[in-house]
Amino acid sequence: EPEVTQTPSHQVTQMGQEVILRCVPISNHLYFYWYRQILGQKVEFLVSFYNNEISEKSEIFDDQFSVERPDGSNFTLKIRSTKLEDSAMYFCAYQQVSGYGYTFGSGTRLTVV
Amino acid sequence: GIQVEQSPPDLILQEGANSTLRCNFSDSVNNLQWFHQNPWGQLINLFYIPSGTKQNGRLSATTVATERYSLLYISSSQTTDSGVYFCAVLPTDSWGKLQFGAGTQVVVTP
């Protein structure tokens, strides 16, 4: 079972609405990431986050997306105005220390209608 | 960017059979992992294996970094092994950006 809980597990939202996806790691990890997987496709990198700053982001991660760690524990991904093509499974991931493997969260399935 | 190719794309096995999944990558990597995506969509980490060989129960993996490939072996397959198996690599010029292959869809029939 994934060590990282994501909430909600499934969210349905109307196009144009804002959504916030949450990731709750169990212990104090340093490196955080968001990935997404459109149904039937590859898992794609969105953004990496280290020391409360974005360290790298993909072309997908445009101005509609933002990430933060507001309370030093939860790690959130916000999509300001959802589009149909944002429908996907969103995963947060962490790496406890650099040079070790990545652990993925349980995922949030986002459906935009 | 780095290319990650997995083969075969689909695999149907009878319970008890053995199989080998392959992952080829086009450039040097610092990290290679194998994941199993279960029917609920969760990505379960199977192996962190940038080089060498590891075993965990009926699963084992080998990465030959100098030849840029990795193999995942499933022995005595069970129906619970069904799902999609992904290989993901971290290129040496990247920091934190895993590149995933397209996956191998495995179906194990009773």
Side-chain angles (χ1 to χ4, degrees):
Chain A
E1 294 296 328
E3 299 171 16
V4 180
T5 301
Q6 290 186 237
T7 59
S9 56
H10 188 192
Q11 180 157 359
V12 181
T13 189
Q14 288 205 321
M15 195 167 52
Q17 295 297 304
E18 175 183 283
V19 295
I20 298 177
L21 311 182
R22 290 184 171 80
C23 176
V24 185
I26 291 177
S27 54
N28 198 20
H29 303 297
L30 294 177
Y31 304 88
F32 295 92
Y33 311 89
W34 284 100
Y35 286 77
R36 79 170 185 189
Q37 184 186 27
I38 294 172
L39 186 64
Q41 297 187 20
K42 287 185 189 183
V43 180
E44 304 172 287
F45 169 82
L46 290 177
V47 65
S48 58
F49 193 78
Y50 169 67
N51 204 24
N52 293 324
E53 289 185 355
I54 290 174
S55 50
E56 189 172 359
K57 58 184 180 180
S58 72
E59 295 170 353
I60 304 166
F61 195 88
D62 60 20
D63 292 343
Q64 294 295 326
F65 292 88
S66 61
V67 291
E68 60 178 8
R69 200 177 179 201
D71 56 7
S73 176
N74 290 348
F75 180 46
T76 63
L77 174 70
K78 183 193 290 186
I79 309 175
R80 288 189 182 83
S81 178
T82 49
K83 302 177 237 184
L84 294 176
E85 54 265 37
D86 293 327
S87 295
M89 188 79 154
Y90 287 82
F91 296 99
C92 72
Y94 76 86
Q95 188 184 26
Q96 195 155 9
V97 292
S98 181
Y100 283 78
Y102 296 72
T103 297
F104 280 71
S106 49
T108 293
R109 188 173 299 280
L110 176 66
T111 303
V112 182
V113 297
Chain B
I2 194 168
Q3 303 299 312
V4 183
E5 294 181 356
Q6 291 187 241
S7 59
D10 301 282
L11 191 58
I12 299 176
L13 300 169
Q14 199 152 27
E15 207 166 20
N18 303 329
S19 63
T20 302
L21 282 57
R22 187 176 181 103
C23 173
N24 291 336
F25 43 97
S26 60
D27 209 341
S28 301
V29 299
N30 284 332
N31 178 4
L32 187 145
Q33 286 183 253
W34 284 97
F35 295 91
H36 176 220
Q37 188 165 41
N38 63 23
W40 297 271
Q42 295 173 340
L43 284 170
I44 308 301
N45 185 20
L46 297 177
F47 294 102
Y48 167 71
I49 187 164
S51 63
T53 297
K54 290 186 178 178
Q55 179 152 11
N56 184 3
R58 295 180 296 101
L59 301 181
S60 63
T62 295
T63 296
V64 183
T66 52
E67 296 186 24
R68 298 180 184 167
Y69 73 90
S70 183
L71 303 173
L72 178 70
Y73 305 96
I74 306 174
S75 64
S76 304
S77 56
Q78 300 177 358
T79 55
T80 51
D81 295 331
S82 296
V84 183
Y85 290 80
F86 288 102
C87 165
V89 303
L90 183 66
T92 53
D93 62 351
S94 172
W95 191 89
K97 187 176 174 181
L98 280 177
Q99 294 287 339
F100 279 74
T104 293
Q105 172 86 55
V106 173
V107 174
V108 181
T109 60

